[in-house]
Amino acid sequence: MKLLLTGFEPFGGSTVNPSEQVVRALANGALPDVELHTAVLPVDRASGPAALLRAVREFQSDAVLCLGEASGRAAISIERVALNLMDYRLADNAGNQVMDEPVVSEGPAAYFVTLPVRAMLEAMKAANVPAELSLSAGAFLCNQVLFQLLHHLALNEASTRAGFVHVPSLPEQVVNKDRLIPSMSLGIMLTGIRAAITAIANGSKDHA
Amino acid sequence: MKLLLTGFEPFGGSTVNPSEQVVRALANGALPDVELHTAVLPVDRASGPAALLRAVREFQSDAVLCLGEASGRAAISIERVALNLMDYRLADNAGNQVMDEPVVSEGPAAYFVTLPVRAMLEAMKAANVPAELSLSAGAFLCNQVLFQLLHHLALNEASTRAGFVHVPSLPEQVVNKDRLIPSMSLGIMLTGIRAAITAIANGSKDHA
Amino acid sequence: MKLLLTGFEPFGGSTVNPSEQVVRALANGALPDVELHTAVLPVDRASGPAALLRAVREFQSDAVLCLGEASGRAAISIERVALNLMDYRLADNAGNQVMDEPVVSEGPAAYFVTLPVRAMLEAMKAANVPAELSLSAGAFLCNQVLFQLLHHLALNEASTRAGFVHVPSLPEQVVNKDRLIPSMSLGIMLTGIRAAITAIANGSKDHA
Amino acid sequence: MKLLLTGFEPFGGSTVNPSEQVVRALANGALPDVELHTAVLPVDRASGPAALLRAVREFQSDAVLCLGEASGRAAISIERVALNLMDYRLADNAGNQVMDEPVVSEGPAAYFVTLPVRAMLEAMKAANVPAELSLSAGAFLCNQVLFQLLHHLALNEASTRAGFVHVPSLPEQVVNKDRLIPSMSLGIMLTGIRAAITAIANGSKDHA
C-alpha cells in the first residue's frame, strides 16, 4: 500500500507540533507492506490545503492520512467527518482569521472520511493507546484540509481513501501552562499511528 | 543518600498500579549517588501502613518517597500535606470501608511533608514532565500511609525527610473506559520520579 | 412568527428531561410576537422523528426549534450541523441500539441548520446565559431528528427555518451522581431559550 | 441560634463575587430560628482576616459560616480543613503575592472545621443543590481567613462552631470566557446556603 502521511507545522505561538514530530519519526522508520510518503503542511489558509493537494496528485497513493494537534484532548481522535465551514478560533500563521465561511462555495455541507475508522480505533486500543472516534474536527485548518482533500477526491472520482487523526499535546507543550491539560508522549503517539496505518493497510487488502 | 521508595499494589478492580510499576522499574536501575530501597505496600487499612513503617525502621533511610495512583489527574502531583482523616471513596483490598475517622486518635489535624516539594516540581518540569503541587492527597490509603509515616517520624524526632507523589493512570488502564480520562506513559513517569529523586538528593546534600 | 418548539421525554434511566420541562414551561407563557406550538418527542428511533415531522406538517410554522439534553455540558449548545449518521451511545427507550448506520440512505452527509445561530448566541450571552456554538449534536436521537427535519424541509423546498439547541442537565439530575458534572437551573435555561426565540423572531422579520 | 455569615468582595479583575451576593440576599430575608449577622470581607491579606475576627468578637455568635468563590467548580463545596499555608495563585486586591508562608508562624499545620459538614451536605442534596465535601480550600484568602478564624477560636477555647463553603461562579461571570466553565445561578446558591444554615441550626440544637 502507498500511504501519504501528513502533519502540520507549529502554530498559535507553539514551537512544536506533535503531528509534525510523528510524521518525521515515522518517515525514518519502516512499516511492513507500506510505502510511505510524508509532507508537513503550513498552517495557512491558502498554502496549507494547496501543499496537501499537490502531494496527493504527486504521490498517487492508495490512502491519505492527515495528522493534526488537538490541544486539551486526552486521547488520539479519529475524525469521522469534515464540514464545509471555516470558523477559526485563532489566526493561521499568515494572520488570517475567518468566521463562518464555507471551505468550498457551492460544495456539500460535509464529507465522511473514507478510511476504516472502526478498525483504526480497535487497532489503537489493542496497542494500549487511548483513542476515540470523533464527530468534529473543528472549524480550523485541520477540518479545512480534510474537507478540501475529500472534495478533491470526490470530484476526481478517485479510489484513494482519506481521513484525519488528531493527536493530543506533547508533555513538553503543557508543562508550563497555568492550567494543566492532558498530554501524550511521542512514543505512545507513534505506537498509535503505526497501529492505525496497519489497520488501513489491512483494510486496503480486504478491498483488493 | 539512602532513599526508601514505595508504591502500592493494584486496587479497586484494576490489575496494575502505575506506582508499583515505577518502583519495580527504578529498583532495577541505578540512580547516581542514591542507595535505593523499595517496597510495594498492600492496599489495606492495617497492613499497608504497617509494611511502610517496618521498611522505614529497617532501612533507616535519609528520605522516604511514597508513590500512589491518582486516576483522572493529568500530571504528576507532589503532595504537600497529610490529613488526620480517613474517608474512603471505595473499599480497600480487605473490604474495609471507612468514613470520617481519624488516622491517629488524638493526633494533630495534619502534617506537612518534609521533602523539598518546590525543587521536586522544578526538576520534573525541567525534564518536560507535567507536574504540579497538590494540597490534598485525598482521604484513602495514600493519605493514610503518608500521615502515619510523618506521625511516626515526628514522634521519633527522626531527621528522615518524607513525602508522597501521585502518578496518573497508565494508558493501558484508561483505554477501555467509557469516559476517556488523562493518562501518562510509564516512560514519562520514570523520567519524572528520577528527576524528583535527584532533587531530593541535592536537597539532602544542601542540608549536610 | 409561528414557532414549533419541541423537547424530548426522559431517557437513559432518568425520570426527567430538562428539554421537556423547558417546553412545558414556555407553552404556558406568552412570548411577544410569537405564536408557539409545542411537542414532546418520544426517545425512539422510529416514533421520535415521526412525531416531529407530523407536528411540522400540521403546524406549518415559520421556524422549528428542537431542544434536547446534553448531560455533562456546562452551557447551552446551539448546534450548527446534523450528520447523516447514527451511532447510539446507549439504547433508545424502545431498546434500539444502532451503530454506524445512515439516518437516510442515499441522503447527503450533513445539513447545516438554517436558524440564525450567531444571533441566538449573542442574545443568550446578552441575557447572561452561558452559551456556545457546537459543531456536533452527537449521533443519537438529537442529531437524528435534526437530520430528518432538515432533510424533510430540503426535499419539500420549505422556507421553514430549523435548528437544535442542547441544554445541560438540571441540578436535581446531578445531585446524587458519583462524579459531579455541571448543571444549569431551569430558570437560566428558560431565560436562554426565550432569548434565542426572540432572536429567531427578529431574524424572521429581517427576512420578511 | 446566632450565626455570622460572611462573603468576600470581588477580586482578580471580576466586578462581582457570588459569595457577596449570597450574603447580601440572605441578610434581607428571614431564616427560621436564626439571628443572622453578616459581613463582606476585603480580599486583602491583612484587612480581610482582621475584619472577620472583629466581626467574630463583636457578634459573639454560636456559629460562623464563611463563603467564598471557587471559579471552575460545578458544585457547592463544603470545606473540611484549613491549612497553615499561604501560596497565592494571584495577588490579593492590595497587590500582595505570597508563596509558601505560614498563615500563623508556630501554628499547627491545619485545623478541621467544626460545623456539621455531613449534615450540611445532606441538607443541600435534599434541596436538589449540587454539593460536595472538599479536602482543600486552596492556599489563598479563603483558606487563610478560615485558618485564622479556627486558630482564634481554638486559642480562646470558644464554643463557636466555624466553617467555610465555596460557591461556583455565577452565570454572568462565565458567559464571556473563552473556555466555558461551570456556573450556578444565585437562586440555587441561596437554596443551598439556606439549607446548610438550617442544618447548622439543627446541629446546634442537638448539642444544646
Side-chain angles (χ1 to χ4, degrees):
Chain A
M1 180 189 65
K2 288 177 65 178
L3 178 89
L4 172 61
L5 181 73
T6 72
F8 278 107
E9 63 180 18
F11 68 98
S14 187
T15 57
V16 298
N17 188 317
S19 68
E20 177 178 9
Q21 295 198 13
V22 170
V23 166
R24 296 205 187 283
L26 291 177
N28 295 325
L31 283 159
D33 299 327
V34 176
E35 181 188 339
L36 190 72
H37 298 267
T38 62
V40 175
L41 310 177
V43 176
D44 177 307
R45 171 183 183 164
S47 64
L52 173 59
L53 295 188
R54 198 163 50 239
V56 166
R57 281 187 294 260
E58 189 178 334
F59 294 132
Q60 298 285 335
S61 59
D62 304 296
V64 184
L65 176 59
C66 301
L67 307 180
E69 175 187 3
S71 172
R73 295 198 193 173
I76 294 183
S77 295
I78 304 162
E79 301 298 343
R80 305 194 74 162
V81 64
L83 294 183
N84 193 4
L85 176 68
M86 296 186 289
D87 182 29
Y88 289 8
R89 61 192 160 78
L90 44 77
D92 70 13
N93 285 349
N96 298 301
Q97 182 62 280
V98 189
M99 183 193 271
D100 294 354
E101 293 181 21
V103 178
V104 175
S105 298
E106 313 299 323
Y111 286 103
F112 285 112
V113 309
T114 52
L115 294 177
V117 294
R118 287 269 170 211
M120 292 160 69
L121 175 68
E122 292 312 317
M124 289 204 228
K125 289 167 72 168
N128 278 335
V129 176
E132 63 187 341
L133 298 181
S134 165
L135 292 171
S136 171
F140 191 47
L141 255 293
C142 294
N143 173 73
Q144 184 185 339
V145 301
L146 178 59
F147 187 90
Q148 292 196 219
L149 170 61
L150 292 165
H151 188 62
H152 169 85
L153 296 172
L155 286 187
N156 292 279
E157 297 179 355
S159 64
T160 306
R161 302 176 90 185
F164 197 100
V165 166
H166 269 116
V167 292
S169 297
L170 290 164
E172 60 261 41
Q173 293 179 283
V174 309
V175 80
N176 287 312
K177 284 195 192 297
D178 278 347
R179 187 173 63 93
L180 275 167
I181 58 173
S183 62
M184 184 178 278
S185 72
L186 184 61
I188 303 283
M189 288 183 194
L190 292 174
T191 300
I193 301 304
R194 272 196 205 97
I197 291 173
T198 301
I200 295 168
N202 290 343
S204 180
K205 270 183 288 188
D206 294 349
H207 282 254
Chain B
M1 181 188 63
K2 289 178 64 178
L3 179 89
L4 172 61
L5 181 73
T6 72
F8 278 106
E9 64 180 18
F11 67 98
S14 188
T15 57
V16 297
N17 188 317
S19 69
E20 177 176 9
Q21 296 198 11
V22 170
V23 165
R24 295 205 187 284
L26 291 178
N28 296 324
L31 282 159
D33 300 328
V34 176
E35 181 188 338
L36 190 70
H37 297 268
T38 63
V40 175
L41 310 177
V43 175
D44 178 306
R45 173 184 182 163
S47 63
L52 174 58
L53 295 187
R54 196 163 53 239
V56 166
R57 280 187 295 260
E58 188 179 334
F59 294 132
Q60 297 285 334
S61 61
D62 303 296
V64 183
L65 176 58
C66 301
L67 306 180
E69 176 187 3
S71 173
R73 296 198 192 173
I76 294 183
S77 295
I78 305 162
E79 301 299 342
R80 303 194 74 163
V81 64
L83 294 183
N84 192 4
L85 176 69
M86 295 187 291
D87 182 30
Y88 290 9
R89 60 193 162 77
L90 45 76
D92 70 14
N93 286 348
N96 299 300
Q97 183 62 280
V98 188
M99 182 193 273
D100 294 355
E101 293 181 22
V103 178
V104 175
S105 298
E106 312 299 322
Y111 286 103
F112 286 110
V113 308
T114 51
L115 294 175
V117 292
R118 287 270 169 208
M120 293 160 69
L121 175 68
E122 292 312 317
M124 288 204 227
K125 289 167 73 169
N128 278 334
V129 176
E132 64 186 340
L133 298 182
S134 166
L135 293 171
S136 171
F140 191 46
L141 256 293
C142 294
N143 173 74
Q144 182 185 340
V145 301
L146 178 59
F147 187 90
Q148 291 196 220
L149 170 61
L150 292 165
H151 188 62
H152 169 85
L153 295 172
L155 287 187
N156 292 279
E157 297 180 355
S159 64
T160 306
R161 302 175 90 185
F164 198 100
V165 166
H166 269 115
V167 292
S169 297
L170 291 164
E172 60 260 40
Q173 293 180 281
V174 309
V175 81
N176 287 312
K177 284 193 191 298
D178 280 346
R179 185 172 64 94
L180 275 167
I181 57 172
S183 62
M184 183 178 278
S185 71
L186 184 60
I188 303 283
M189 288 183 194
L190 292 174
T191 301
I193 301 303
R194 273 196 206 98
I197 291 174
T198 301
I200 295 168
N202 289 343
S204 179
K205 271 185 287 188
D206 293 349
H207 281 252
Chain C
M1 180 188 67
K2 287 177 67 178
L3 179 89
L4 172 61
L5 181 73
T6 73
F8 277 107
E9 63 180 19
F11 67 99
S14 188
T15 57
V16 296
N17 189 317
S19 69
E20 177 177 10
Q21 295 199 11
V22 169
V23 166
R24 295 204 189 283
L26 292 178
N28 295 323
L31 282 159
D33 300 326
V34 176
E35 182 188 337
L36 189 71
H37 298 267
T38 62
V40 175
L41 311 176
V43 176
D44 178 307
R45 172 184 183 164
S47 63
L52 174 59
L53 295 187
R54 195 162 54 237
V56 166
R57 280 187 294 262
E58 188 177 334
F59 294 132
Q60 298 285 332
S61 61
D62 303 296
V64 183
L65 176 59
C66 301
L67 306 180
E69 176 186 4
S71 173
R73 295 199 193 172
I76 293 182
S77 295
I78 304 162
E79 301 299 342
R80 304 195 73 163
V81 65
L83 294 184
N84 193 3
L85 177 68
M86 294 186 292
D87 182 29
Y88 290 8
R89 58 191 163 79
L90 45 77
D92 69 13
N93 286 350
N96 298 300
Q97 184 62 281
V98 189
M99 183 194 271
D100 293 355
E101 293 181 22
V103 178
V104 176
S105 298
E106 312 299 324
Y111 287 103
F112 286 112
V113 307
T114 51
L115 294 176
V117 293
R118 287 270 170 209
M120 292 160 70
L121 175 68
E122 292 312 316
M124 287 204 230
K125 290 168 72 168
N128 278 333
V129 176
E132 64 187 341
L133 298 182
S134 166
L135 294 170
S136 170
F140 190 48
L141 256 291
C142 293
N143 173 74
Q144 183 186 340
V145 300
L146 179 59
F147 187 90
Q148 291 196 222
L149 170 61
L150 293 165
H151 188 62
H152 169 84
L153 296 172
L155 287 186
N156 292 279
E157 297 179 355
S159 63
T160 305
R161 305 175 88 184
F164 198 102
V165 166
H166 269 116
V167 291
S169 297
L170 291 163
E172 60 259 40
Q173 291 179 283
V174 309
V175 80
N176 287 313
K177 283 194 192 297
D178 279 347
R179 185 173 64 92
L180 274 167
I181 58 172
S183 63
M184 183 177 280
S185 71
L186 183 61
I188 302 284
M189 288 183 193
L190 292 175
T191 300
I193 301 304
R194 273 196 206 99
I197 291 174
T198 301
I200 295 168
N202 290 342
S204 179
K205 270 183 288 187
D206 293 350
H207 282 253
Chain D
M1 180 187 67
K2 288 177 66 177
L3 179 89
L4 172 61
L5 181 73
T6 72
F8 277 107
E9 64 180 19
F11 67 97
S14 188
T15 57
V16 296
N17 188 316
S19 69
E20 177 177 9
Q21 295 198 14
V22 169
V23 166
R24 294 203 188 284
L26 291 178
N28 295 323
L31 283 160
D33 299 326
V34 176
E35 181 189 337
L36 190 71
H37 298 268
T38 63
V40 175
L41 310 177
V43 175
D44 178 306
R45 172 184 184 164
S47 63
L52 174 58
L53 295 188
R54 197 162 52 237
V56 166
R57 280 187 295 260
E58 189 177 333
F59 294 131
Q60 297 286 335
S61 60
D62 303 297
V64 183
L65 176 58
C66 301
L67 306 180
E69 176 187 3
S71 173
R73 296 199 193 172
I76 294 183
S77 296
I78 304 163
E79 301 298 343
R80 304 195 74 162
V81 64
L83 293 184
N84 193 3
L85 176 69
M86 294 186 292
D87 182 30
Y88 289 10
R89 60 192 161 78
L90 45 76
D92 70 13
N93 285 350
N96 299 301
Q97 184 62 280
V98 189
M99 182 193 270
D100 293 355
E101 293 181 22
V103 177
V104 175
S105 300
E106 313 298 325
Y111 287 103
F112 286 112
V113 308
T114 50
L115 293 176
V117 293
R118 287 269 169 209
M120 293 160 69
L121 175 68
E122 292 311 317
M124 288 204 229
K125 290 168 73 169
N128 278 334
V129 176
E132 64 187 340
L133 297 182
S134 166
L135 294 171
S136 170
F140 191 47
L141 255 292
C142 294
N143 173 73
Q144 183 186 340
V145 301
L146 179 59
F147 187 90
Q148 292 197 221
L149 169 61
L150 293 165
H151 188 61
H152 168 84
L153 295 173
L155 288 187
N156 291 278
E157 298 179 356
S159 63
T160 306
R161 304 176 89 184
F164 198 102
V165 165
H166 268 115
V167 292
S169 297
L170 291 163
E172 60 259 41
Q173 292 179 283
V174 310
V175 81
N176 287 312
K177 284 195 193 297
D178 280 347
R179 185 173 64 92
L180 275 167
I181 58 172
S183 63
M184 183 178 279
S185 71
L186 183 60
I188 303 285
M189 288 184 194
L190 292 175
T191 301
I193 301 303
R194 272 196 207 98
I197 291 174
T198 301
I200 296 168
N202 290 343
S204 179
K205 271 183 287 188
D206 293 350
H207 282 253

